[in-house]
Amino acid sequence: MRPGSIPRFLGLSAALAGVIAAAFMAPASAAKAPEARDSATKTAAVAAAPANFTHPGVNLSTAQLDFVRGKVQAGAQPWKAAYDQMMASRYASLSRTAKPRAIVECGSYSNPNYGCTDEREDAIAAYTDALAWYITRDERYAKKSIELMDAWSNSIQDHTNSNAPLQTGWAGSSWPKAAEIIKHVYGNWPNSGRFSTMLRNVYLPKIINGSNSNGNWELTMMEAAVSISVYLDDAASYDKAIGKYLVRVPAYIYLSSDGALPKTVPSQNLDTRDKIVNYWQGQGTFVTGLTQETCRDFVHTGYGISSVSHVFETARLQGQDLFPQVGERLRQALGFQSKYEVQAEPVPSSLCGGSVTRGLGPITEVGYNALNTRLGYAMTNTQRLTEQQRPSGTNNLFVAWETLTNASNPN
């Protein structure tokens, strides 16, 4: 939040706004007091868009970027290795040619795949080039990032077929990360207005109303919606996306304090135990840290957890503390999945019939940094997995270079 800006708690009385503001203002010691935070998770709160959005402020701030740049220039690890990994990737190639389409058609499991991979990877490349420019100040990378964004903003009109909302969410999560750096730091971007129009007219309408599919869909869609809303300075869309996120996260990650059954999204009409168990992939024993897709596979679970952490971080950069609603769930989800990903202990028969499908992906850095580096939580299993995976690269969908950007980043 910019100095002097005041959060707008829409539709609330001044008294209620004061109560909510007080709920967000925990003492510094609370950062290292999980028992205090546990009680905070039960406190209902409302998050509203800031009066003025902070830029760059999608996943990364200027202070965070400066920290990364300094570490790379000093040759410090793990940042230098992560930077070298990024620069050696195809996404950083200055000879890359954009492959835009007017209509991107993506069916289930990307069949058909008409422009789906091209769009996602061009968006990741634009972000990669923006990071490369920030760290090196080599103008060629900024120009390449602009070239990719301009090509798509001059072409795309729609996403179609069954995977269109998810595809829009995946690509729409990467474009704003690139655009925030280029528009608000590099600055020389004549077609930035056309790019904004693309995000507003092609991307946002496809994702802002959410999804009743598996939880990772809506979480990724809300990540993209929040990120696009920040870039567009669109307070109404930001509020709507955060509102959906705050309903979806408790319905995706279970805590024992939820009771005998997980929370649900009202529009899904999961009004019986049998319906809930079926939606949770046949899992009938609910334990803290379990996600709605744990027993599907860890790959899709990783998508969901990643988006939870990305929105949590972006909201923080916009001056909002979502820890009361989200922090403990994120911490527990990371720890639970990490424990079985690194095979720290056998999978009990009560969990997914005694067998899980691993493959969580490079998704732990943002949440681990937020909760461990900044808030001081010991997260043994998450730490083990995070350090084991360094430098984490990209999942080629919407996650990229998070050891570089978030490892031990205190800002």
Side-chain angles (χ1 to χ4, degrees):
M1 187 184 301
R2 292 175 179 171
S5 62
I6 301 172
R8 300 178 301 102
F9 293 91
L10 303 178
L12 295 171
S13 68
L16 181 55
V19 170
I20 290 167
F24 286 154
M25 296 174 61
S29 61
K32 298 190 179 183
E35 65 280 1
R37 288 294 197 180
D38 288 344
S39 63
T41 64
K42 302 179 180 66
T43 303
V46 174
N52 296 289
F53 287 98
T54 295
H55 301 289
V58 172
N59 281 327
L60 290 169
S61 66
T62 301
Q64 288 173 310
L65 287 162
D66 287 343
F67 172 85
V68 172
R69 185 169 187 246
K71 290 296 186 183
V72 171
Q73 289 180 334
Q77 299 297 352
W79 303 274
K80 182 58 166 60
Y83 168 78
D84 290 342
Q85 175 195 47
M86 180 183 80
M87 297 303 288
S89 76
R90 66 183 183 274
Y91 296 108
S93 172
L94 289 170
S95 62
R96 184 179 192 89
T97 300
K99 298 179 180 179
R101 285 174 175 258
I103 306 297
V104 174
E105 182 180 355
C106 307
S108 183
Y109 296 98
S110 291
N111 182 24
N113 181 343
Y114 298 136
C116 315
T117 300
D118 292 338
E119 180 190 27
R120 294 193 306 262
E121 295 196 351
D122 278 350
I124 291 173
Y127 174 52
T128 301
D129 290 327
L131 286 175
W133 169 77
Y134 198 98
I135 293 168
T136 66
R137 290 304 196 266
D138 183 336
E139 197 170 28
R140 294 176 300 166
Y141 290 103
K143 290 180 177 178
K144 177 58 69 171
S145 183
I146 290 170
E147 176 188 316
L148 295 169
M149 291 189 285
D150 281 355
W152 279 91
S153 70
N154 192 45
S155 302
I156 190 165
Q157 298 172 16
D158 199 8
H159 299 87
T160 65
N161 214 317
S162 57
N163 260 30
L166 183 60
Q167 171 71 18
T168 308
W170 280 337
S173 294
S174 294
W175 289 127
K177 291 189 288 188
E180 281 281 294
I181 294 171
I182 295 299
K183 180 177 180 179
H184 295 287
V185 187
Y186 178 72
N188 184 18
W189 185 11
N191 290 317
S192 63
R194 189 178 72 198
F195 186 82
S196 296
T197 299
M198 177 192 79
L199 293 181
R200 182 177 294 108
N201 294 343
V202 178
Y203 286 79
L204 198 55
K206 193 74 71 174
I207 55 180
I208 192 63
N209 293 318
S211 168
N212 284 321
S213 186
N214 279 302
N216 81 85
W217 276 52
E218 183 160 88
L219 288 166
T220 299
M221 291 162 68
M222 290 310 103
E223 175 187 345
V226 166
S227 299
I228 290 170
S229 297
V230 170
Y231 178 74
L232 295 177
D233 294 307
D234 184 340
S237 295
Y238 181 93
D239 287 344
K240 184 173 182 178
I242 289 287
K244 286 187 173 295
Y245 169 84
L246 291 177
V247 172
R248 175 61 72 171
V249 174
Y252 193 72
I253 302 168
Y254 176 81
L255 295 179
S256 60
S257 57
D258 294 337
L261 294 171
K263 294 180 180 295
T264 62
V265 176
S267 61
Q268 291 186 287
N269 298 312
L270 299 174
D271 51 6
T272 69
R273 175 181 169 82
D274 286 347
K275 288 182 182 179
I276 292 172
V277 169
N278 181 65
Y279 185 61
W280 283 63
Q281 315 295 326
Q283 177 69 12
T285 301
F286 301 102
V287 293
T288 291
L290 182 78
T291 80
Q292 182 254 315
E293 295 184 282
T294 297
C295 293
R296 179 187 185 185
D297 57 58
F298 279 20
V299 174
H300 290 87
T301 298
Y303 300 164
I305 294 173
S306 179
S307 288
V308 172
S309 67
H310 290 162
V311 175
F312 183 78
E313 182 72 353
T314 294
R316 182 187 71 87
L317 297 178
Q318 298 305 323
Q320 296 186 332
D321 178 10
L322 297 186
F323 191 102
Q325 305 98 315
V326 174
E328 184 64 9
R329 291 183 192 273
L330 176 58
R331 184 174 79 93
Q332 294 291 349
L334 283 167
F336 187 84
Q337 266 65 222
S338 294
K339 176 172 61 176
Y340 296 113
E341 180 76 14
V342 299
Q343 303 181 52
E345 61 182 64
V347 180
S349 59
S350 60
L351 176 62
C352 312
S355 176
V356 296
T357 302
R358 296 177 177 86
L360 196 61
I363 60 90
T364 62
E365 290 278 14
V366 174
Y368 177 67
N369 185 62
L371 299 171
N372 176 265
T373 302
R374 286 200 296 269
L375 295 181
Y377 283 98
M379 300 170 67
T380 304
N381 291 314
T382 307
Q383 179 178 358
R384 182 185 297 120
L385 177 60
T386 301
E387 292 177 350
Q388 177 181 301
Q389 292 188 147
R390 284 178 176 167
S392 64
T394 176
N395 67 358
N396 302 309
L397 296 173
F398 69 106
V399 178
W401 324 125
E402 292 181 349
T403 295
L404 174 65
T405 56
N406 291 86
S408 302
N409 196 325
N411 298 289

